[in-house]
Amino acid sequence: MTQDVEMKEQQQQQQQPSNSATSSTPSTLHQLKEIASLIEFGAYAKEARRIVRAVRLTMTLRRELKASVLSAFLNFALSAGSEPFNRLISYLPKEDEHEMEVDSVISVTQAPAKHPLPELEIYCYLLVLIFLIDQKKYDEAKTCSSASIARLKNLNRRTVDVLASRLYSYYSLSYELTGDLAEVRGNLLALHRVATLRHDELGQETLLNLLLRNYLHYNLYDQAEKLRSKAPRFEAHSNHQFCRYLFYLGKIRTIQLEYTDAKESLLQAARKAPAAALGFRVLCNKWAVIVRLLLGEIPERTVFMQKGMENALRPYFELTNDDASGVSRQGAWGFIAEFNGGNVCCFQAVRIGDLELFKSVAEKFSSTFTTDRTLNLIVRLRHNVIRTGLRNISISYSRISLADVAKKLRLDSANPVAEAESIVAKAIRDGAIDATLDHANGWMVSKETGDIYSTNEPQIAFNSRIAFCLNMHNEAVRALRFPPNSHKEKEGAEKRRERQQQEQELAKHIAEEDDDEF
């Protein structure tokens, strides 16, 4: 008997540390219940920021979601046997008997809510939809997202707007993953109209970006621009949605040949995007590099040397690549020589105007450009390459025959002299070169270059820089927040401490939003 007692005491001592270890780390289900209580508090207090925090905490648990945990949470949050419960539980795969027994025990200990809040119901839809997309069950995700959108149409609560904006995104994503993105365009337009009537500005932001993405996916740039120009404008509520809007605006401006505005929008989107959104920043930089090349600018090497972007921006660096010896001397660019087997481009394709080199680079990375949907912009660069080469020729020669121009530009058409003549005539008409065309003798006669400081170009350059600085200053002033009547009343020590504490909480809240999933 004494031996049995001693054995039981040893077993209890061994079980105590294990129990303490498990209790110190809360389970996923326990964390979901805490998030549900946070949503309930935010719904009753009508504080949307608590709903935002609940969504942010959910994204940190995304990889830990399992079917058993979700089924247990549905038993806790929804009434068993209700229509939402039966619908959502049908989307989850059935686990083995052991896990189901654990879930049943947990569900018995927690009494389900008889009248669940609409916010909790929408949150359950969001959890199940995220789980289905992560498990790559796209057909079930489409059905679940459609049911959640149908439920949302009957709700008009400001505390639901944050959850609804997330559901809109996953609703569009589920149809995009199955290749049926065009089917939801009508529903998205109807939802955007309803959000406008309900003054749901966060929903308007999200739905406008989803509609722009829908149109741009099928190359409907004119329709996207008409929607963007007629959509109501207001102050941005989400930095992530604002970055997406700037990116789509930059793409539209690029296709419409408005390269200056496109460059500003794309660079601003890349600058405002959070550091965690690496794929989005890479995409912005790809389009920004091409737009700068179309404007006649050569991007700095630091653009291609950003952390985590070297391999993705490698084909675009080839368009502005230096000679092999120059590259090999740069330690950060050693991968370029390895990537090309040591035979990197001998001249800069766009800067020097080497048409043959440009064609070889475009053919070499045609599959990459097609995947990035920038191949049509690369085709546009051919004209810039020819114009750059022609500008260098006009600077180097005071008079040169059109046959030599065609030879230096490496034109491979049936009649290169006639093509060179048309190219020179168009460049003279556009003001790209300062020369005259002698059709009788077949010459291009360049004029003497004067003092550029006697023209208006320096003034135009200074005006653009001043406008940029003033715009940045105005945005900084607009972003400042001042307490009311701060210039009239002198605050005491207690009020100053309260104000500083509120400012610290606000700064912490903004930092947590930036770290949210993009």
Side-chain angles (χ1 to χ4, degrees):
M1 291 295 292
T2 56
Q3 293 179 354
D4 296 339
V5 172
E6 291 177 356
M7 291 296 293
K8 290 181 180 179
E9 291 178 355
Q10 291 178 359
Q11 291 178 358
Q12 291 177 359
Q13 291 177 358
Q14 292 177 357
Q15 291 177 358
Q16 286 178 358
S18 61
N19 295 332
S20 62
T22 55
S23 60
S24 61
T25 57
S27 62
T28 305
L29 179 60
H30 179 70
Q31 294 179 6
L32 288 177
K33 291 179 181 179
E34 291 180 350
I35 294 174
S37 63
L38 185 62
I39 292 176
E40 289 182 354
F41 186 83
Y44 287 124
K46 296 182 180 180
E47 295 182 357
R49 61 184 182 88
R50 297 188 181 273
I51 311 295
V52 174
R53 181 172 178 81
V55 174
R56 185 167 58 250
L57 293 175
T58 304
M59 294 305 155
T60 60
L61 302 175
R62 182 169 183 172
R63 296 182 179 179
E64 301 177 9
L65 295 179
K66 297 180 180 180
S68 58
V69 176
L70 289 179
S71 61
F73 180 75
L74 292 178
N75 287 324
F76 166 76
L78 301 177
S79 299
S82 62
E83 182 181 356
F85 176 82
N86 294 333
R87 182 185 297 114
L88 291 175
I89 206 71
S90 63
Y91 299 133
L92 299 177
K94 295 182 179 179
E95 300 291 336
D96 54 8
E97 296 180 356
H98 175 70
E99 292 185 353
M100 292 301 294
E101 289 175 0
V102 173
D103 297 340
S104 62
V105 172
I106 296 175
S107 61
V108 168
T109 57
Q110 299 290 342
K114 295 182 179 180
H115 301 286
L117 289 172
E119 288 81 3
L120 271 182
E121 181 182 346
I122 298 301
Y123 179 69
C124 292
Y125 274 107
L126 180 62
L127 279 179
V128 174
L129 185 55
I130 291 174
F131 173 76
L132 293 175
I133 292 178
D134 291 343
Q135 297 296 321
K136 298 182 179 180
K137 298 181 179 181
Y138 301 135
D139 294 331
E140 291 86 348
K142 284 176 56 177
T143 308
C144 180
S145 62
S146 300
S148 64
I149 295 301
R151 180 69 178 95
L152 275 176
K153 291 180 180 179
N154 300 325
L155 297 177
N156 186 13
R157 298 163 66 99
R158 298 285 71 81
T159 50
V160 182
D161 293 343
V162 178
L163 299 171
S165 63
R166 289 295 180 124
L167 277 179
Y168 296 149
S169 301
Y170 289 116
Y171 172 58
S172 178
L173 178 61
S174 61
Y175 277 82
E176 183 178 356
L177 292 173
T178 55
D180 302 326
L181 191 58
E183 297 180 6
V184 297
R185 190 180 303 157
N187 290 335
L188 292 178
L189 288 170
L191 290 171
H192 185 268
R193 182 170 61 251
V194 172
T196 304
L197 295 175
R198 293 177 177 177
H199 302 285
D200 179 11
E201 295 184 351
L202 181 58
Q204 293 179 58
E205 279 183 336
T206 306
L207 290 168
L208 178 60
N209 287 332
L210 293 176
L211 285 168
L212 292 178
R213 180 182 180 87
N214 197 310
Y215 284 124
L216 298 183
H217 181 77
Y218 295 100
N219 297 325
L220 301 175
Y221 289 91
D222 292 337
Q223 297 184 26
E225 173 59 21
K226 290 178 182 179
L227 173 66
R228 188 207 62 80
S229 60
K230 295 181 180 180
R233 300 180 182 178
F234 43 82
E235 185 180 357
H237 290 265
S238 173
N239 180 60
H240 300 158
Q241 298 298 334
F242 185 54
C243 290
R244 292 188 179 98
Y245 175 78
L246 289 174
F247 174 66
Y248 297 143
L249 179 61
K251 293 181 69 173
I252 295 173
R253 292 287 182 260
T254 303
I255 299 300
Q256 293 178 342
L257 306 180
E258 300 177 6
Y259 297 133
T260 304
D261 296 338
K263 171 190 169 184
E264 182 179 355
S265 299
L266 292 170
L267 292 179
Q268 190 177 4
R271 189 166 55 248
K272 286 180 173 292
L278 181 60
F280 180 79
R281 291 192 295 115
V282 167
L283 199 57
C284 290
N285 279 280
K286 287 179 179 179
W287 280 76
V289 165
I290 296 178
V291 170
R292 293 183 66 179
L293 291 176
L294 289 169
L295 284 171
E297 303 176 4
I298 302 298
E300 301 82 4
R301 286 194 169 191
T302 54
V303 174
F304 305 96
M305 294 173 62
Q306 299 181 62
K307 185 178 180 180
M309 301 187 187
E310 296 90 348
N311 295 329
L313 296 178
R314 188 179 295 174
Y316 299 88
F317 173 74
E318 289 285 340
L319 296 174
T320 57
N321 196 9
D322 287 329
D323 57 281
S325 59
V327 175
S328 61
R329 285 194 297 267
Q330 299 290 336
W333 296 100
F335 65 87
I336 299 289
E338 297 176 0
F339 182 77
N340 294 323
N343 296 323
V344 292
C345 308
C346 297
F347 301 97
Q348 295 177 351
V350 179
R351 178 182 291 179
I352 302 301
D354 193 337
L355 188 59
E356 184 177 354
L357 176 61
F358 173 77
K359 289 181 179 178
S360 64
V361 174
E363 292 175 358
K364 183 177 182 180
F365 299 104
S366 60
S367 60
T368 304
F369 297 143
T370 303
T371 304
D372 295 340
R373 306 186 71 176
T374 56
L375 186 61
N376 57 339
L377 301 178
I378 300 299
V379 173
R380 288 187 191 179
L381 279 176
R382 180 181 182 275
H383 179 67
N384 287 50
V385 173
I386 294 175
R387 178 171 291 188
T388 303
L390 187 60
R391 188 183 299 114
N392 293 333
I393 292 173
S394 65
I395 294 174
S396 303
Y397 298 91
S398 59
R399 186 180 68 180
I400 186 173
S401 64
L402 295 176
D404 292 337
V405 171
K407 183 178 180 181
K408 288 183 176 296
L409 292 178
R410 301 183 183 182
L411 302 177
D412 54 356
S413 60
N415 191 355
V417 177
E419 185 180 0
E421 185 177 1
S422 63
I423 290 173
V424 171
K426 189 176 186 303
I428 293 174
R429 185 195 64 182
D430 296 341
I433 60 175
D434 190 6
T436 57
L437 188 61
D438 189 350
H439 177 71
N441 298 321
W443 290 338
M444 183 187 73
V445 181
S446 303
K447 297 180 180 179
E448 295 183 1
T449 56
D451 186 9
I452 193 173
Y453 290 99
S454 62
T455 63
N456 293 329
E457 291 190 12
Q459 181 183 0
I460 296 173
F462 278 119
N463 284 337
S464 64
R465 296 175 184 176
I466 292 172
F468 175 78
C469 294
L470 289 176
N471 187 24
M472 183 178 295
H473 175 267
N474 292 335
E475 289 184 357
V477 172
R478 197 178 299 115
L480 293 176
R481 298 186 180 182
F482 300 96
N485 299 327
S486 60
H487 61 287
K488 296 181 181 179
E489 301 176 357
K490 293 184 178 179
E491 58 182 1
E494 295 182 359
K495 292 185 178 180
R496 188 183 301 108
R497 284 195 296 268
E498 293 178 358
R499 179 178 57 81
Q500 292 176 353
Q501 185 178 2
Q502 292 177 358
E503 290 178 354
Q504 292 177 358
E505 292 179 355
L506 179 61
K508 183 179 179 181
H509 176 64
I510 294 175
E512 290 177 350
E513 284 186 351
D514 291 338
D515 293 336
D516 191 11
E517 180 188 7
F518 193 72

